[in-house]
Amino acid sequence: YVLEPRDSIVVFSHGGLNAAPVEGALEAKKRGLTVITVSSHQNSRQAQATHSSGKKLSDVADIAIDNCVPAEDALVGVEGIPERFAAGSTVAAVTISMALVAEVGSLLVESGHKPPTFVSPNVGLEPDHNQRVFVEFARRVSRRVP
C-alpha cells in the first residue's frame, strides 16, 4: 500500500488512551483517511482506554508508530523528589514528525513531485519564496473543504 499524503492523518497522543485523539482518529477513518498514530505502546498495554468505545488510539490506526517512551512519560528523576519530570514524548513526537517529513519529501521528489517547502529566510532564497508556499498551501486546503 502506498500512502498518499492527501489522504492520511497523523494523530499524536503519548498514552493513546484519552478520548479526544481516539475520537479524532475515528472521525478521520469515517471520512476515508488513512490513520497513522504515534503513541506509547507500553502505556497502551498497561492502562485502560477512556473512549466510550473502549478503543485505544493504536486500535484505530492503519499504521501505529510506537514512540518508545515509557508509560510514565517523564524521564528525569532527581533525588529528593518522588516525581520524575521532562516528558520524553515531546522529544519523540518531534523526532518522529521530522522523520516522516523527510521520508515523505524524499518519496515525493523521487516520484517527480516538488513539494512546496517552507524554508528559513536565512538561506538566501528569493524574498517571496515562503509567501508562495503559503499561497500554494491555501489553494490546496481550499480545494479540500467540503
Side-chain angles (χ1 to χ4, degrees):
Y1 178 77
V2 177
L3 285 177
E4 296 289 334
R6 67 181 175 273
D7 69 355
S8 58
I9 186 171
V10 182
V11 181
F12 291 83
S13 169
H14 167 64
L17 304 169
N18 292 330
V22 172
E23 191 65 32
L26 288 169
E27 181 62 27
K29 269 233 190 274
K30 194 184 319 179
R31 293 177 183 226
L33 296 170
T34 297
V35 175
I36 304 164
T37 64
V38 179
S39 61
S40 168
H41 293 185
Q42 180 187 72
N43 189 54
S44 185
R45 284 189 301 272
Q46 293 178 4
Q48 296 296 315
T50 61
H51 191 268
S52 60
S53 68
K55 292 185 184 229
K56 300 174 182 180
L57 190 58
S58 58
D59 297 335
V60 181
D62 295 297
I63 299 170
I65 299 172
D66 186 356
N67 68 14
C68 298
V69 176
E72 183 181 346
D73 193 8
L75 300 176
V76 177
V78 175
E79 196 169 318
I81 64 167
E83 307 87 17
R84 291 178 173 264
F85 50 90
S89 62
T90 303
V91 174
V94 171
T95 302
I96 292 167
S97 296
M98 291 303 100
L100 290 169
V101 166
E103 186 64 20
V104 168
S106 295
L107 292 171
L108 284 169
V109 172
E110 286 174 16
S111 68
H113 298 88
K114 183 181 184 306
T117 306
F118 187 85
V119 296
S120 168
N122 300 322
V123 299
L125 293 175
E126 308 87 39
D128 67 335
H129 174 85
N130 287 340
Q131 185 57 40
R132 291 194 316 266
V133 172
F134 288 135
V135 168
E136 176 61 15
F137 178 76
R139 184 186 70 76
R140 290 179 187 204
V141 170
S142 67
R143 282 193 327 215
R144 299 191 49 83
V145 175

